[in-house]
Amino acid sequence: MHMGISIVTKGAVASAAIVLGLAGCASTPIPNEKLAVAKASVQRAEQSGAPEFAPVEMAAARDKLARAEKAAAARETVPATLLAEQANVDARLAEATAQQQRSRKAATEFDASMQALRSESMRSTQSTQ
Amino acid sequence: MNAKLLTGMGLTLALCACATAPQPNAALQSAHVAVQTAEMDPNVGKYAALDLEAAKKDLAIADEAALHHRDAAIAQPAYMAAQNARLAQMHATAKADDARVAAGQAQRDQIMLASRNAEVQNAKMATSAALGQRDQANEAAARLQAEVDQLKATPTPRGLVLTLGDVLFDTGRAELNPGAGRKLDQLAQFLGEHKDRRVQIDGFTDSVGTDSYNEDLSHRRANAVKSALMVRGVDASRIGTEGYGKAYPVANNNDSGGRQLNRRVEVVIGPDNGTPIAPRG
């Protein structure tokens, strides 16, 4: 939860910087490739359980991707680039967080099954003796 | 690495202090913290070195921008650095857990194999124990059958019935012939080996003579057998006697052969749980 809040805060800080400092460099080309990469990352995160396991990161990625696409449509290429980069890294973090939680869950379950197995095997070994 | 980092931060702060508006960049500071935290995680170095490299590259760009007071160019690389540092930690933690589970699988397989072997061993032991019991039971049954065969006893609903024929007694007498001894020895030995079984001795006569005489004779013959068994070590409490006179003939009383078959003593051997034997009828 702490991480989620700090991401939102930093996201806001970064976005503010984008809007204030970098908007208006019209000579930069539309970052179609970065938008495509960000979109693919968001889709992969959506399908990897991130909406369930990392809802904050997932929401940030979706929001930034939408804003990046909107900026690109308005030919605001610099904010579109920066937002696409952020959407990409947020989506990857969401996916990694989901993966981390799945792995942790699997490891915890594995530990429990090992514990059960150990005590069971101890019992069956004892009954042999 | 930490010393270098602190130097970098110190440099940044010092340079900021020289500037007209000294504002430490919050995004840059939190990026430094995130990268430093990731660096201290041993799993990151082991499993997510590339993610950490990317984070450090972003952080260097942000530091460079801060160094040259390009404040507007700090936030994006700082944000990317922080997120990549977190990404490194997530990847590293997941991979560390996965590796631990993978390593544990082999151990688990081993335990399961050992456990299954123990189960097989237990099952084998249980089977051989059961077989042993069955062998013992079979042996006991076979022994009993051999003994019953030797006594020439016949299984009936009341129990095993052993018929001692008239030839064991003199006509009209209740004393046993010496020839009865061998049969009674076998019966006494059987009862000695099966102390949980009771025995019922029933006497019968042919139809010749008065009812009271025949009844008395049948009683006396049953008691003679009882005495003979007691002499051979069978406790009196296990032996019941009854005289039925001419009742329950087993053959025709119209000829001498049939009458001889009717003059008899029947010994009923009870079940092995000590249950008393029901009276004839």
Side-chain angles (χ1 to χ4, degrees):
Chain A
M1 207 17 67
H2 171 75
M3 184 184 280
I5 290 163
S6 77
I7 285 166
V8 172
T9 313
K10 271 192 281 326
V13 170
S15 304
I18 292 156
V19 176
L20 292 174
L22 297 166
C25 301
S27 59
T28 324
I30 293 172
N32 287 321
E33 200 183 321
K34 283 191 171 170
L35 281 167
V37 168
K39 198 170 180 175
S41 292
V42 167
Q43 278 173 355
R44 210 172 45 240
E46 303 254 23
Q47 287 159 11
S48 73
E52 186 193 346
F53 290 110
V56 176
E57 291 85 346
M58 193 67 240
R62 280 182 190 138
D63 174 55
K64 283 172 187 170
L65 178 62
R67 279 156 59 204
E69 282 170 340
K70 211 170 149 188
R75 305 228 152 240
E76 290 166 5
T77 55
V78 172
T81 305
L82 299 181
L83 281 165
E85 282 176 4
Q86 289 193 14
N88 182 43
V89 80
D90 287 356
R92 290 182 62 210
L93 181 58
E95 188 189 352
T97 304
Q99 177 57 48
Q100 186 268 334
Q101 298 209 16
R102 269 200 304 276
S103 292
R104 177 53 48 91
K105 190 161 172 265
T108 308
E109 283 168 5
F110 179 77
D111 288 343
S113 78
M114 278 292 271
Q115 191 72 35
L117 194 60
R118 278 209 183 88
S119 53
E120 193 177 319
S121 114
M122 206 172 286
R123 259 206 312 281
S124 63
T125 310
Q126 275 167 354
S127 66
T128 309
Q129 289 162 353
Chain B
M1 190 58 70
N2 282 351
K4 192 174 156 192
L5 182 80
L6 287 172
T7 315
M9 286 179 81
L11 200 59
T12 309
L13 290 173
L15 287 167
C16 285
C18 295
T20 44
Q23 276 180 338
N25 189 302
L28 186 57
Q29 277 186 338
S30 87
H32 272 285
V33 170
V35 171
Q36 205 174 2
T37 307
E39 271 186 315
M40 289 190 300
D41 185 340
N43 286 329
V44 169
K46 198 170 174 185
Y47 296 113
L50 286 178
D51 289 330
L52 183 63
E53 278 313 305
K56 283 158 104 173
K57 220 166 104 184
D58 291 330
L59 190 62
I61 294 168
D63 279 341
E64 183 75 7
L67 188 64
H68 296 105
H69 302 289
R70 288 188 281 108
D71 288 353
I74 297 171
Q76 180 73 4
Y79 183 76
M80 298 304 281
Q83 291 295 75
N84 274 319
R86 292 188 188 99
L87 198 56
Q89 281 195 282
M90 288 300 171
H91 281 155
T93 315
K95 282 182 180 166
D97 279 340
D98 291 350
R100 193 161 60 77
V101 170
Q105 301 278 19
Q107 205 186 349
R108 183 171 71 173
D109 290 349
Q110 216 161 15
I111 293 174
M112 281 174 84
L113 187 66
S115 173
R116 197 155 43 231
N117 285 344
E119 266 168 38
V120 169
Q121 191 66 28
N122 285 346
K124 273 184 187 163
M125 283 166 71
T127 307
S128 67
L131 283 174
Q133 278 179 359
R134 204 181 65 184
D135 286 351
Q136 279 179 9
N138 284 345
E139 211 176 297
R143 206 166 46 233
L144 178 66
Q145 191 55 52
E147 288 165 353
V148 169
D149 287 350
Q150 203 177 17
L151 285 174
K152 296 192 168 46
T154 312
T156 74
R158 291 173 76 206
L160 293 164
V161 174
L162 176 67
T163 302
L164 303 175
D166 180 65
V167 290
L168 298 179
F169 300 94
D170 284 334
T171 308
R173 311 270 313 172
E175 287 78 31
L176 282 158
N177 281 338
R182 216 179 75 82
K183 194 96 177 175
L184 289 169
D185 284 344
Q186 288 174 356
L187 179 58
Q189 193 191 337
F190 180 87
L191 291 172
E193 284 167 10
H194 303 276
K195 294 200 185 298
D196 41 3
R197 290 174 188 268
R198 293 170 63 89
V199 73
Q200 172 68 31
I201 302 166
D202 297 337
F204 304 90
T205 65
D206 59 24
S207 61
V208 178
T210 65
D211 284 358
S212 64
Y213 172 80
N214 280 334
E215 208 158 296
D216 180 60
L217 181 61
S218 65
H219 267 292
R220 282 190 289 128
R221 283 182 168 180
N223 280 322
V225 173
K226 178 179 177 177
S227 302
L229 287 177
M230 285 165 66
V231 166
R232 286 166 175 79
V234 183
D235 196 281
S237 66
R238 293 171 64 198
I239 307 171
T241 57
E242 189 56 81
Y244 291 100
K246 64 177 183 184
Y248 307 113
V250 292
N252 197 327
N253 275 312
N254 291 336
D255 62 81
S256 62
R259 282 195 296 275
Q260 191 180 22
L261 290 173
N262 288 336
R263 295 193 295 270
R264 70 199 191 277
V265 169
E266 286 179 5
V267 180
V268 187
I269 300 162
D272 59 4
N273 57 12
T275 312
I277 298 146
R280 182 89 190 220

